[in-house]
Amino acid sequence: MSPNCEEVKNRLRKTSVIEVEMLPPIILCIDDRPEMLNIRKTSLQRLGYQVETASNVTNAITAAATLPISVVLLDYKLEGMDAQAFAHQLKQRFPALPIILLSAYSEMPAALLWLVDEYVMKSEPVERLSGVIDKIVSVKKVIPRSDVITSRFSAGGLSNVQSDFSSQGSTAGNA
């Protein structure tokens, strides 16, 4: 007896999909002032985010390399660190990791703005920052391959899945 479509979808979900969308995004806050890190961490945790902090380059790089960080909040003024050089280093090592620059200044160097994904003034309410984080995290979400396969399978059978894969292969060279 062959399994029905629902059984196949359930098996695929159980074996190859981790429900990461149930977990809050992990935000890495980087600031050289511990009191600001604590305030930002508490504010973001109250909104449901998981927050990791780093007060120097070494700790930030270690966190980015070892944790599933969703987005980095980088303070512009860091004592002993150049935010632009640090953002460049992060983008070189972790090109897919989004960076939100936080600053009290209304104008930023253009070269720095090219390195970051968003810029938020510190005077903005935390809800504005939360909206920017949510926008970045939702853009970054990737649908697990098995979800795509099972939804295509249930919508039109195996022929749709095969045609999707063959069309992906033929359009990849055109991009």
Side-chain angles (χ1 to χ4, degrees):
M1 182 160 113
S2 64
N4 67 29
C5 188
E6 283 302 313
E7 289 174 26
V8 171
K9 286 195 295 186
N10 287 333
R11 281 188 203 155
L12 284 170
R13 279 194 190 103
K14 288 177 185 173
T15 59
S16 62
V17 176
I18 298 170
E19 297 292 335
V20 292
E21 293 178 32
M22 300 295 288
L23 302 173
I26 300 175
I27 300 168
L28 175 59
C29 293
I30 305 167
D31 197 320
D32 60 334
R33 296 172 299 165
E35 66 279 358
M36 291 308 299
L37 279 175
N38 288 332
I39 291 169
R40 196 166 295 122
K41 180 177 182 173
T42 302
S43 298
L44 291 169
Q45 284 177 330
R46 284 184 182 146
L47 294 173
Y49 299 106
Q50 183 176 340
V51 181
E52 296 294 326
T53 61
S55 59
N56 60 54
V57 174
T58 304
N59 292 345
I61 294 292
T62 299
T66 58
L67 298 169
I69 303 296
S70 300
V71 64
V72 170
L73 299 182
L74 176 62
D75 186 48
Y76 175 61
K77 280 291 187 186
L78 300 168
E79 191 167 320
M81 292 186 269
D82 176 2
Q84 184 172 330
F86 184 57
H88 185 262
Q89 185 179 5
L90 274 175
K91 284 296 184 182
Q92 281 187 321
R93 293 187 71 176
F94 313 101
L97 184 59
I99 301 172
I100 299 173
L101 182 67
L102 300 175
S103 178
Y105 298 100
S106 60
E107 293 190 23
M108 293 283 103
L112 176 57
L113 293 175
W114 277 98
L115 292 169
V116 300
D117 298 88
E118 288 286 341
Y119 163 62
V120 177
M121 297 227 11
K122 288 182 178 180
S123 60
E124 299 271 358
V126 71
E127 293 78 17
R128 161 88 165 94
L129 178 58
S130 176
V132 171
I133 291 168
D134 290 345
K135 180 179 85 170
I136 286 176
V137 170
S138 69
V139 167
K140 193 179 157 200
K141 282 184 185 172
V142 176
I143 300 171
R145 186 177 265 323
S146 62
D147 279 359
V148 172
I149 291 170
T150 57
S151 68
R152 301 268 193 238
F153 184 75
S154 63
L158 188 56
S159 60
N160 279 359
V161 175
Q162 290 170 335
S163 67
D164 283 349
F165 285 122
S166 61
S167 68
Q168 286 176 0
S170 64
T171 58
N174 300 333

